[in-house]
Amino acid sequence: MNARVVLLGGGYVTLFAYRALMRRLGRQIRSGRVEIVVISPDDAHSFHGFTGEVIAGILPYERTRTPLAEVMPHARILPARAVRIDRRQRLVEIERVDDGVRSDLSYTALVVGTGGREPVGRVPGMAHHGRTLRGPGDILALSDRVATAVDATAGSVDRRILVVGGGLAGVELAAAAADRGAGDLQVTLVHSGPRLLPELDDQPRLRARARAELIRLGVAVRTGVRVAAVDDGGARLADGTYLRAGTVIATVGQSPVAIGGLEEFGDERGRLATGPDLSVTTGIWAAGDAARVVRPGTREPVPANALWAIKAGAHAGANVAASLHTDLGLPGYAGRVRRPFTYRGLGRAASFGLGRSISELYGIPFTGALAWVLRMVFFMRFMPSRRRALAVVGDLVSVRGRVRGGRGVQQVVPTAGGGSSVSRSGVPQVVPAAAGAGASVSRSGSRPEPAPSRLPVRQA
């Protein structure tokens, strides 16, 4: 009897579950004894670690994209979406992305790594007028939109960008847009909580540094007020203030992508509740944003970020291999016991320029060049393609060399076509405005030395 492992989604969970399966059952997979099928509406893996750099125009979009067939050569890739799971028959109903035709696919083991999407439906008008990051093509579309804003007529609403949500993703995007605009864009960040970056509540020093970097970049910040509605001209806040903006970006958390047939296993947010070994029920495992994985030693769910998805995906893949060995008598895999998930986390990192970063590693804070190096080493380690990782190194070295080469207030930015473009990168002077109006930026401020290219925030 042959076995079929179906992996849902094309993100970190699927990629690292595949790698774990190949390490443990590679011989059986190559021989056809075990088949791996990947169901994903996107034909490429998106590496989100450098989203800020892409939005800022520092790295080309192609650096973050790796074809699924390239990183999972022994899997069958189906461009489709999972619609419903029949647990009794062990069937996945899938819908092809090209023509919408539906069919059933049987499975021996199933790993749900479908991730999440921004819950834009919670804010009237956000789904229609706001821009997101988690859907296929979203990052490229947003990068193009910010580039268009830079070229818009001076003083027009198109030069105003509003970022909704003050977590790590929101801070990153606000900084990236301001960086790309180099003083030509009015960027406002609105956060409903009392403080930015609630993820850094245990690191107030690092959070204060991040806030200072936003001020340096000219980003106006409003906290303690939520966005009530979005339209084609901007957004209305709960306090009645209307903020005009040509681009509204939603970084308002995530909700899991729902799949029919698994509702009874969902928590209050729709995440699939997993056991210690990341199983949901017989034959089904889950990890990443689609799952509620309990952090070892606590009763709290693990953070919704890439590193936890990577580690949980790899662990789910290892336990699937152990399960197949037991159920089907597959030879060649010594670790035959399904083990509990024990990963306890690594840390967080944020970068605001070449050599300008903050990071926390096992609770120890770092700043400056060392923090920047730690962040870069982490991201390079987990990029799915070594070739693209080396290309990123080359891009960053090139940017750093050109900035240090005496270009003054000019910043040389690699483009997607492989060339470069030059933009102004002077540090804006932030002038406090009236209450509720954020801050305005003066182009007349001077600076003592050229500022390096600024790379925004990302959690590690």
Side-chain angles (χ1 to χ4, degrees):
M1 176 182 177
N2 291 340
R4 175 182 288 156
V5 180
V6 176
L7 308 177
L8 302 185
Y12 300 105
V13 171
T14 288
L15 176 57
F16 284 85
Y18 169 87
R19 290 182 176 180
L21 287 164
M22 287 300 301
R23 283 194 297 271
R24 291 160 174 80
L25 298 174
R27 180 179 299 177
Q28 288 73 34
I29 293 169
R30 293 184 181 92
S31 70
R33 183 76 172 85
V34 175
E35 180 188 21
I36 299 178
V37 180
V38 174
I39 308 298
S40 173
D42 194 349
D43 64 357
H45 171 82
S46 291
F47 183 79
H48 289 273
F50 293 123
T51 296
E53 284 83 349
V54 172
I55 301 302
I58 293 167
L59 293 177
Y61 173 67
E62 289 77 8
R63 295 287 185 262
T64 68
R65 300 276 292 172
T66 307
L68 296 180
E70 177 182 322
V71 291
M72 293 183 284
H74 297 286
R76 179 156 62 104
I77 313 296
L78 297 182
R81 296 180 178 86
V83 178
R84 187 170 186 82
I85 308 299
D86 183 337
R87 295 186 292 111
R88 295 183 183 275
Q89 300 294 322
R90 291 205 177 190
L91 295 174
V92 182
E93 182 182 3
I94 63 174
E95 180 182 84
R96 297 194 317 209
V97 297
D98 54 353
D99 55 15
V101 172
R102 294 192 178 189
S103 61
D104 289 334
L105 179 70
S106 64
Y107 67 86
T108 309
L110 179 72
V111 178
V112 181
T114 46
R117 294 294 305 273
E118 294 88 348
V120 292
R122 298 176 184 174
V123 179
M126 182 72 83
H128 184 66
H129 299 289
R131 294 182 177 271
T132 58
L133 290 173
R134 294 175 174 269
D138 280 359
I139 296 174
L140 178 61
L142 181 56
S143 178
D144 290 343
R145 181 67 192 91
V146 174
T148 300
V150 174
D151 295 331
T153 304
S156 71
V157 69
D158 288 334
R159 286 201 174 189
R160 298 187 179 192
I161 295 177
L162 174 63
V163 179
V164 183
L168 282 162
V171 169
E172 172 181 65
L173 290 179
D179 184 27
R180 191 161 191 166
D184 289 335
L185 299 179
Q186 181 178 328
V187 181
T188 302
L189 176 62
V190 176
H191 181 56
S192 61
R195 296 179 301 276
L196 291 181
L197 299 172
E199 303 95 323
L200 296 180
D201 277 349
D202 59 337
Q203 293 285 350
R205 174 189 168 197
L206 298 185
R207 182 172 57 199
R209 176 66 177 271
R211 179 65 182 261
E213 293 288 354
L214 288 178
I215 294 174
R216 180 177 66 86
L217 290 166
V219 177
V221 177
R222 292 205 60 185
T223 57
V225 61
R226 64 179 180 85
V227 172
V230 178
D231 57 34
D232 59 359
R236 186 168 301 283
L237 307 186
D239 63 3
T241 303
Y242 186 82
L243 299 178
R244 297 179 65 221
T247 303
V248 177
I249 306 173
T251 61
V252 288
Q254 60 278 322
S255 293
V257 175
I259 301 177
L262 300 179
E263 294 87 353
E264 65 182 280
F265 303 106
D267 67 359
E268 69 283 355
R269 292 174 49 185
R271 299 170 299 183
L272 298 177
T274 67
D277 64 351
L278 304 187
S279 64
V280 177
T281 186
T282 302
I284 300 178
W285 285 258
D289 294 349
R292 187 184 191 278
V293 176
V294 176
R295 191 167 189 164
T298 74
R299 296 183 178 179
E300 299 299 319
V302 303
N305 67 44
L307 180 57
W308 286 95
I310 288 169
K311 294 298 185 179
H315 196 84
N319 279 339
V320 167
S323 177
L324 291 179
H325 186 284
T326 300
D327 295 344
L328 304 177
L330 295 175
Y333 174 43
R336 303 174 185 179
V337 178
R338 288 161 54 173
R339 302 182 183 279
F341 184 60
T342 58
Y343 181 72
R344 295 180 178 272
L346 177 64
R348 295 154 291 187
S351 178
F352 298 92
L354 294 174
R356 299 174 61 100
S357 290
I358 60 173
S359 69
E360 173 255 315
L361 182 63
Y362 298 120
I364 302 173
F366 299 91
T367 59
L370 178 57
W372 186 84
V373 170
L374 289 173
R375 174 182 180 267
M376 295 305 299
V377 168
F378 169 80
F379 286 154
M380 296 303 171
R381 165 68 178 81
F382 289 106
M383 285 195 77
S385 168
R386 291 290 171 262
R387 179 168 57 86
R388 284 174 175 78
L390 291 174
V392 167
V393 173
D395 289 336
L396 297 178
V397 169
S398 176
V399 170
R400 185 180 181 89
R402 292 172 188 252
V403 170
R404 285 192 166 188
R407 294 294 181 110
V409 296
Q410 292 183 330
Q411 176 186 355
V412 181
V413 180
T415 64
S420 62
S421 60
V422 179
S423 64
R424 292 178 298 275
S425 60
V427 178
Q429 177 183 353
V430 181
V431 182
S440 60
V441 178
S442 170
R443 297 288 302 280
S444 61
S446 60
R447 65 180 191 179
E449 59 182 9
S453 171
R454 296 179 290 273
L455 308 183
V457 179
R458 171 63 60 183
Q459 181 164 354

